[in-house]
Amino acid sequence: MNIAIIPARGGSKRIPKKNIRLFRGKPMIAWSIEAAIASNCFEKVFVSTDSEEIASISERLGAWVPFLRPNNISDDYSTTKDVIKYCIDWLRENNIMVNYVCCLYATAPFVKADDIKEGLNLIKEQTENRFIFSATNFSFPIQRAIKINEYGISSMFYPENFNIRSQDLENAYHDAGQFYIAKPSVWINKENLFEDALPILIPNWRVQDIDEEDDWARAEMLHEILEKKIATKFNKKFET
């Protein structure tokens, strides 16, 4: 059995009720649940939450919420890995054998079923104890990043790169914050999921952290533009 686990804590402070606030007409978590179901990769889409409201909405959307998350892994200091480990232990205690676990974030409205499917296919092709995760490239070379001190004066982190052309610098990537796939044993034992991992590359115009109200507004505008472009492309295909 393969399982998707969507962590969805109820106590978001910067954006209240972030996981179930309407994002373009749907509860935010709906986009992740629907992508997981549409991928046809999982026998269960498991939502881990401490909130009865999130649990109720998630179940109506087709997710499985077998318990409410305990308080000791629901505070501001609990990590995603803490939550996934707890769920894996619960599954084992209930004699549910799992081959692969995909952690899918609740605030990932740009995640696509095809990306998840590509990730699961990739992990099945290799036998190493690795993570598969979504990643994207930095839009500007990190080797030419600057810092600003307490007096407002700038300096480069790597001044030796000042005269090097951008195209001559090595590409750098970062976590896209959408999904992470591994065997249960890897989730439990591996400390750093990015070391020796295999990334599924997502274009940076389809990646947006949503931590502040400005992030939310930007994400909604971008999402609407992308959906309109997809619809236009689809309509043109059937007009010709």
Side-chain angles (χ1 to χ4, degrees), residues 178-192:
Q178 294 185 0
F179 61 87
Y180 316 83
I181 307 172
K183 297 175 183 177
S185 59
V186 178
W187 273 107
I188 290 170
N189 297 317
K190 197 169 181 68
E191 291 300 321
N192 186 337

Side-chain angles (χ1 to χ4, degrees), residues 206-220:
R206 194 155 58 78
V207 174
Q208 174 65 56
D209 282 339
I210 304 177
D211 295 319
E212 307 286 350
E213 289 291 346
D214 282 352
D215 299 333
W216 188 286
R218 187 181 301 108
E220 280 200 309

Side-chain angles (χ1 to χ4, degrees), residues 214-230:
D214 282 352
D215 299 333
W216 188 286
R218 187 181 301 108
E220 280 200 309
M221 287 188 287
L222 178 57
H223 198 278
E224 183 176 5
I225 290 168
L226 293 175
E227 290 293 306
K228 284 181 178 177
K229 284 192 173 183
I230 291 169

Side-chain angles (χ1 to χ4, degrees), residues 25-36:
K26 297 179 185 180
M28 173 61 88
I29 198 171
W31 298 97
S32 296
I33 292 173
E34 290 174 1

Side-chain angles (χ1 to χ4, degrees), residues 1-3 91-92 94-99 184:
M1 177 183 288
N2 301 322
I3 286 185
L91 291 164
R92 286 177 172 171
N94 286 271
N95 298 313
I96 300 172
M97 304 307 295
V98 178
N99 295 320

